[in-house]
Amino acid sequence: AQSVTQLGSHVSVSEGALVLLRCNYSSSVPPYLFWYVQYPNQGLQLLLKYTTGATLVKGINGFEAEFKKSETSFHLTKPSAHMSDAAEYFCAVRRGTSYGKLTFGQGTILTVHP
Amino acid sequence: GAGVSQSPSNKVTEKGKDVELRCDPISGHTALYWYRQSLGQGLEFLIYFQGNSAPDKSGLPSDRFSAERTGGSVSTLTIQRTQQEDSAVYLCASSKATDTQYFGPGTRLTVL
């Protein structure tokens, strides 16, 4: 079985500040890990993913995440927040090299203050 | 190119009625998934199709829920005898085999 825990249902930062959204996972097999973003009344958009290889992955809009197996973590970061980053972010895990059922965390709402 | 589309975007129904939700995947995507997003339960997997077959229906919450996919393309999620707890946003996603899933905008279902 797989599970995802996102620490903090709400995160608030100032524009220009570091964004850090935390994600820890549990998986009995090597995982594939994803971050998705959801803007109001829209579907989910993929930010980045880790499958194999380099553990630091870069995504769209300046986001990146690092897979740390020893910590079972996949935290999402962005050096400088922009107002347009305000949205809900979901971390998800999937069994590697298997069919694609995603298990999602509960989501973190990011608020960016001017 | 065109993304995943879903219809209707919003559906309001009365308790006890049946509803059908439609998903048009990205052309060429063999895999199709349905998820449900609700305030209390977050994002939950419902069912997965590979081609026209559904090897994993484990997320369907009750036998009132069913889904089919025809021609390896369009899928319909049917909810019979709707209940208020069925109110949620139903999201569809598609992918090439086990690749990245691309999501549609969702159908917001409200059961009165």
Side-chain angles (χ1 to χ4, degrees):
Chain A
Q2 299 172 302
S3 66
V4 176
T5 301
Q6 291 183 237
L7 298 176
S9 58
H10 290 79
V11 170
S12 180
V13 300
S14 298
E15 192 173 20
L18 171 72
V19 175
L20 171 60
L21 305 182
R22 299 178 187 274
C23 172
N24 287 88
Y25 70 91
S26 172
S27 178
S28 57
V29 297
Y32 284 7
L33 294 157
F34 304 81
W35 276 99
Y36 282 86
V37 60
Q38 186 176 36
Y39 298 100
N41 300 312
Q42 295 187 25
L44 300 170
Q45 180 182 6
L46 180 70
L47 276 178
L48 49 79
K49 65 180 180 182
Y50 168 78
T51 55
T52 59
T55 56
L56 180 63
V57 292
K58 297 184 184 297
I60 62 171
N61 302 338
F63 285 93
E64 63 181 39
E66 186 170 11
F67 169 61
K68 292 188 177 181
K69 184 178 178 181
S70 61
E71 299 177 8
T72 60
S73 69
F74 191 58
H75 301 331
L76 181 70
T77 60
K78 181 175 180 177
S80 177
H82 191 273
M83 296 296 289
S84 60
D85 294 327
E88 189 164 15
Y89 293 78
F90 292 91
C91 182
V93 64
R94 198 196 89 193
R95 293 169 62 95
T97 64
S98 181
Y99 75 90
K101 168 187 172 180
L102 291 169
T103 300
F104 288 91
Q106 289 297 307
T108 298
I109 296 173
L110 175 66
T111 303
V112 182
H113 296 288
Chain B
V4 177
S5 61
Q6 294 185 244
S7 60
S9 55
N10 281 282
K11 176 72 176 178
V12 180
T13 190
E14 294 180 348
K15 178 180 174 181
K17 300 285 189 181
D18 297 352
V19 295
E20 288 188 349
L21 312 180
R22 176 187 169 105
C23 172
D24 280 274
I26 294 172
S27 178
H29 281 194
T30 58
L32 186 147
Y33 315 81
W34 284 98
Y35 294 88
R36 179 169 72 173
Q37 185 174 24
S38 58
L39 283 176
Q41 301 298 321
L43 271 159
E44 305 172 281
F45 166 79
L46 297 177
I47 187 170
Y48 154 70
F49 286 92
Q50 184 62 258
N52 290 335
S53 64
D56 189 351
K57 306 178 184 179
S58 63
L60 294 177
S62 75
D63 58 8
R64 295 186 296 105
F65 287 73
S66 63
E68 65 175 11
R69 188 180 186 195
T70 55
S73 182
V74 171
S75 176
T76 302
L77 177 69
T78 301
I79 309 173
Q80 296 179 309
R81 305 180 302 281
T82 52
Q83 304 294 314
Q84 289 184 332
E85 62 262 29
D86 300 334
S87 295
V89 176
Y90 289 82
L91 293 167
C92 176
S94 71
S95 73
K96 292 181 180 179
T98 58
D99 203 350
T100 300
Q101 294 180 31
Y102 295 89
F103 283 79
T107 293
R108 182 175 299 276
L109 175 66
T110 302
V111 182
L112 301 176

